[in-house]
Amino acid sequence: MSRIVVVRPDGDVAEVATVPLAPRAPLPEQPVIGLIVNGKPFAGEMLDALVAELEERTGRQFEVEVIRKPSAGHPIELGEAQRMAARCHVVISGLGD
């Protein structure tokens, strides 16, 4: 007979050591944010809302560079990735649904 092990996520949790975040360079006054819209429903809308929230929280206006993929299963092209890496201070890839 088989045995089924049930793991309950509501039990005691062991302490986990914290790890400091890697140092980040400060963003320039008008940073460029790259968005990769992955083709899922509402991914573009979610990323637009995220940029609006970041602008409101930081009090800055961002320049936005967008790549739209035909679907989540398609990678971006090498040239697109290189352009984002060279031009953008931050790149966010979004999911939808």
Side-chain angles (χ1 to χ4, degrees):
M1 177 177 254
S2 297
R3 179 178 159 181
I4 297 175
V5 177
V6 178
V7 179
R8 293 182 53 174
D10 60 345
D12 293 333
V13 178
E15 289 254 349
V16 177
T18 59
V19 177
L21 295 175
R24 303 278 190 252
L27 291 175
E29 192 57 38
Q30 189 170 13
V32 178
I33 291 184
L35 302 179
I36 301 173
V37 181
N38 69 351
K40 307 253 320 163
F42 304 110
E45 292 84 348
M46 181 197 72
L47 290 170
D48 289 342
L50 179 59
V51 169
E53 180 70 20
L54 289 171
E55 287 178 335
E56 184 177 321
R57 287 187 183 199
T58 62
R60 295 181 183 191
Q61 190 72 26
F62 296 111
E63 185 177 337
V64 180
E65 176 95 16
V66 180
I67 293 175
R68 296 187 184 279
K69 296 176 17 172
S71 74
H74 286 82
I76 62 173
E77 299 292 327
L78 176 60
E80 293 173 315
Q82 290 171 333
R83 186 180 78 235
M84 284 278 190
R87 180 155 162 58
C88 301
H89 299 96
V90 176
V91 176
I92 304 169
S93 178
L95 301 175
D97 285 341

